[in-house]
């Protein structure tokens, strides 16, 4: 465990305190917002396939009950520790507040390297973890709703949903106990891509602000922006994909084993397949190999950390040449690195806003599970029929007739994926302006991160006010 992970919760609270100092809320209220409401730590045995017994260490933290359920992913990683899970749960509270998703923050973790276990062992670990949560009422559609995080995905979420449903026979809303499930198991179209797509919307909106781009010496718009991505997992892969499809050029990708660069542009899908087939990102045709550290320090317009926390420290911050830092991971920048970034005039789009696309679409999935109907099911054909009538009226009025292709393009009732993507876009665009305006109207606010914390603190404080806890 490295030093930064040891006190990750403390680091998040340093950001909180800096933002809190710009408010005049009572100290007790701020202390209530900042603390972790419940921390559940537990151990259980796993019988490995070879017969050995191993003790598995798990956590679930509920940071804030100002709104329920609490929400946040479950991480499987060898370095998981209590401070980390607490920090990540706290970040979830602020993240949900920023994008107006009506949850408190939570997070879970299991201290394992998922690559070292068989699928069968992982299934037993996940189901047992769910049992442990259930025993203490740390899971449920109205209590605490986990989701994927580093080291987990749709498969684990399906096991959790199935275990919970088995423990609660007949509970109508049981599927809403976890999000990030496969679409066939109650998931929603677009959840898997959501964090990456949200990062793209965040970047696109940032690049549309002429004043901010001028200050960075960059042209307006995402088109042609040179991007470096660290981490080719679900978040990094989809961020790269949407940004590239949106006009950016992916000049380098970094992974644990090393990095590759091609100034003419890389295709994340081809790189992903190359890594799957060869076991390494390196030696990709047409690209140059370099080490991960060097990739982070490349001259580029946008750097997207999409792996774990604590990547930028006082040791390397000064060498980062990116103009924009788009935080896909949670906590990639330490409080020591931030002032260096500010001094360099970088635009840091902070994690608690930038990667909120995941929980936003999780919210949509939860709503779908509670309503038991696919988004668009009732309205798709109705909208299509109305649009076709409109096209017909235009044809009659103008004498021009539309081709079948135009008709299909203009009269298309939205399906679930379309609605999810547009709900996500609306959320990310609005929230960007909310935090940008917060920074502009708060003279002592140094950057978007503190502005985002400030916006979150105001919203959580308002909830407590509505509960009558302070006037
Ligand atoms: N683990 C993701 C995050 O850090 C998603 C959480 C969720 O969907 O609840 O934001």
């Amino acid at each position: 465990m490295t030093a930064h992970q040891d006190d990750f919760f403390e680091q998040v609270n340093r950001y909180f305190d800096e933002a809190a100092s710009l408010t005049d809320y009572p100290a007790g209220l701020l202390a209530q917002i900042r603390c972790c409401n419940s921390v559940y730590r537990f151990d259980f045995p796993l019988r490995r396939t070879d017969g050995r017994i191993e003790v598995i260490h798990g956590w679930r933290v509920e940071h804030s009950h100002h709104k329920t359920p609490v929400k946040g992913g479950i991480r499987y990683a060898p370095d998981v520790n209590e401070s980390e899970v607490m920090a990540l749960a706290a970040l979830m509270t602020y993240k949900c507040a920023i994008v107006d998703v009506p949850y408190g923050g939570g997070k879970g973790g299991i201290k394992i390297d998922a690559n070292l276990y068989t699928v069968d062992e992982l299934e037993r670990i996940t189901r047992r973890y769910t049992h442990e949560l259930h025993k203490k009422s740390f899971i449920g559609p109205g209590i605490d709703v986990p989701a994927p995080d580093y080291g987990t995905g749709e498969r684990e979420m399906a096991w959790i949903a199935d275990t919970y449903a088995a423990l609660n026979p007949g509970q109508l809303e049981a599927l809403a106990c976890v999000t990030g499930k496969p679409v066939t198991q109650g998931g929603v179209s677009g959840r898997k891509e959501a964090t990456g797509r949200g990062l793209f919307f965040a970047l696109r909106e940032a690049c549309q602000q002429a004043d901010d781009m001028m200050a960075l010496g960059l042209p307006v718009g995402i088109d042609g922006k040179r991007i470096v991505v660290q981490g080719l997992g679900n978040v990094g892969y989809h961020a790269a994909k949407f940004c590239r499809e949106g006009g950016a050029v992916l000049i380098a990708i970094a992974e644990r084993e090393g990095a590759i660069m091609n100034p003419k542009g890389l295709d994340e899908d081809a790189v992903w397949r190359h890594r799957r087939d060869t076991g390494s990102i390196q030696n990709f045709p047409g690209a140059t190999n370099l080490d991960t550290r060097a990739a982070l320090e490349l001259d580029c317009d946008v750097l997207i950390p999409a792996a774990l926390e604590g990547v930028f420290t006082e040791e390397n911050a000064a060498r980062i040449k990116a103009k924009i830092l788009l935080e896909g991971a949670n906590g990639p920048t330490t409080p020591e690195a931030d002032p260096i970034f500010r001094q360099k005039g970088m635009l840091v789009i902070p994690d608690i806003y930038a990667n909120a696309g995941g929980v936003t679409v999780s919210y949509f999935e939860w709503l779908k599970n509670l309503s038991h109907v696919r988004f668009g099911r009732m309205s798709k054909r109705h909208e299509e029929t109305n649009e076709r009538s409109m096209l017909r009226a235009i044809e009659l009025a103008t004498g021009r007739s539309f081709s079948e292709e135009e008709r299909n393009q203009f009269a298309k009732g939205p399906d679930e994926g379309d609605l999810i993507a547009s709900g996500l876009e609306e959320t990310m665009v609005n929230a960007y302006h909310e935090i940008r305006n917060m920074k502009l109207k708060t003279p002592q606010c140094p950057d978007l991160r503190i502005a985002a914390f400030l916006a979150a603190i105001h919203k959580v404080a308002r909830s407590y006010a509505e509960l009558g806890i302070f006037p």
Side-chain angles (χ1 to χ4, degrees):
M1 189 193 303
T2 54
H4 71 264
Q5 286 169 325
D6 223 4
D7 49 20
F8 190 12
F9 184 52
E10 203 274 310
Q11 296 190 6
V12 169
N13 283 337
R14 278 169 63 188
Y15 290 131
F16 178 93
D17 291 343
E18 190 171 346
S21 73
L22 304 175
T23 72
D24 48 18
Y25 294 119
L29 174 68
L30 291 167
Q32 170 57 40
I33 297 175
R34 182 185 196 275
C35 68
C36 270
N37 291 170
S38 322
V39 180
Y40 177 30
R41 190 196 68 78
F42 47 95
D43 297 333
F44 56 83
L46 170 77
R47 192 164 46 77
R48 303 281 318 243
T49 313
D50 63 10
R52 277 181 300 125
I53 306 283
E54 194 177 299
V55 180
I56 303 290
H57 309 288
W59 287 264
R60 184 74 189 171
V61 171
E62 297 181 349
H63 172 258
S64 178
H65 294 132
H66 74 288
K67 283 189 195 299
T68 46
V70 300
K71 185 96 189 70
I74 299 176
R75 167 171 298 197
Y76 289 2
D79 283 339
V80 165
N81 63 81
E82 197 157 302
S83 172
E84 180 188 35
V85 186
M86 289 167 74
L88 294 166
L91 290 174
M92 285 309 301
T93 295
Y94 309 128
K95 190 183 301 189
C96 290
I98 288 162
V99 287
D100 288 328
V101 163
Y103 300 132
K107 202 77 171 200
I110 303 185
K111 190 178 168 60
I112 52 166
D113 178 346
N115 298 313
L116 304 181
Y117 294 81
T118 65
V119 173
D120 174 63
E121 288 169 338
L122 288 172
E123 177 169 357
R124 283 189 283 121
I125 291 170
T126 307
R127 288 186 183 276
R128 177 64 188 259
Y129 178 85
T130 311
H131 266 271
E132 296 295 329
L133 296 187
H134 184 257
K135 263 198 317 212
K136 302 275 187 212
S137 282
F138 266 74
I139 186 168
I143 299 171
D144 187 337
V145 183
D149 196 83
Y150 185 90
T152 59
E154 291 185 341
R155 181 182 65 182
E156 287 72 19
M157 302 307 117
W159 289 330
I160 293 174
D162 185 57
T163 308
Y164 181 85
L167 291 167
N168 296 276
Q171 194 185 100
L172 208 50
E173 70 274 25
L175 274 180
C177 73
V178 65
T179 60
K181 302 178 293 292
V183 177
T184 51
Q185 306 290 318
V188 79
S189 312
R191 173 61 186 85
K192 201 169 170 182
E193 303 89 313
T195 312
R197 183 180 254 143
L199 284 161
F200 162 68
F201 289 139
L203 179 64
R204 192 192 62 186
E205 207 50 29
C207 292
Q208 279 311 113
Q209 311 311 310
D211 292 354
D212 299 350
M213 289 304 110
M214 207 194 297
L216 294 171
L218 292 174
V220 174
I222 197 169
D223 212 39
K225 294 272 182 297
R226 295 163 309 142
I227 298 203
V228 174
V229 175
Q230 181 220 10
L232 203 56
N234 182 41
V235 175
Y237 172 86
H238 284 106
K241 178 179 185 317
F242 288 108
C243 290
R244 186 183 53 72
E245 288 173 357
V249 185
L250 184 60
I251 62 163
I253 304 177
E255 256 294 346
R256 261 169 308 196
E257 67 274 12
I260 51 167
M261 174 181 94
N262 184 346
K264 293 204 199 88
L266 294 161
D267 180 299
E268 71 293 332
D269 199 45
V271 174
W272 187 87
R273 279 185 274 117
H274 169 81
R275 187 172 190 239
R276 182 198 56 196
D277 296 343
T278 67
S280 168
I281 199 171
Q282 294 208 307
N283 305 320
F284 182 73
T288 315
N289 289 342
L290 65 167
D291 68 39
T292 300
R293 203 185 145 100
L296 296 178
E297 295 169 14
L298 280 175
D299 177 18
C300 65
D301 300 318
V302 186
L303 175 57
I304 310 181
L308 289 169
E309 61 269 17
V311 176
F312 306 112
T313 61
E314 69 274 38
E315 194 276 313
N316 65 353
R319 293 195 302 276
I320 302 300
K321 296 182 198 68
K323 302 240 168 61
I324 302 175
L325 185 71
L326 179 66
E327 296 185 338
N330 291 310
T333 306
T334 60
E336 291 75 27
D338 254 326
I340 303 172
F341 289 163
R342 284 175 200 160
Q343 215 167 22
K344 290 160 81 82
M346 278 166 64
L347 175 67
V348 176
I349 309 177
D351 52 0
I352 49 172
Y353 158 70
N355 70 31
V359 76
T360 301
V361 175
S362 276
Y363 170 47
F364 300 153
E365 179 176 334
W366 183 75
L367 293 175
K368 174 185 183 179
N369 295 150
L370 294 179
S371 64
H372 300 272
V373 63
R374 184 178 74 235
F375 289 105
R377 176 159 183 186
M378 306 291 270
S379 56
K380 183 175 188 294
R381 188 162 293 258
H382 180 70
E383 282 187 33
E384 217 162 278
T385 308
N386 280 349
E387 283 157 2
R388 280 187 184 266
S389 311
M390 185 77 81
L391 291 184
R392 187 75 200 119
I394 294 170
E395 283 179 333
L396 289 173
T398 62
R400 174 197 193 283
S401 54
F402 293 103
S403 66
E404 198 45 38
E405 200 187 333
E406 285 173 321
R407 223 182 281 277
N408 289 339
Q409 188 193 339
F410 299 142
K412 178 185 177 291
D415 59 26
E416 184 172 84
D418 298 326
L419 292 166
I420 294 289
S422 91
L424 175 61
E425 181 171 4
E426 171 77 2
T427 304
M428 295 305 293
V429 170
N430 288 347
Y432 189 75
H433 290 285
E434 209 171 300
I435 61 171
R436 185 170 179 273
N437 290 338
M438 182 62 77
K439 176 176 180 291
L440 294 177
K441 76 172 191 212
T442 315
Q444 310 91 319
C445 182
D447 57 19
L448 285 181
R449 188 189 314 281
I450 300 304
F453 269 89
L454 193 53
I457 291 172
H458 284 314
K459 289 187 190 176
V460 181
R462 203 175 311 141
S463 286
Y464 278 113
E466 281 154 12
L467 290 171
I469 286 176
F470 95 105

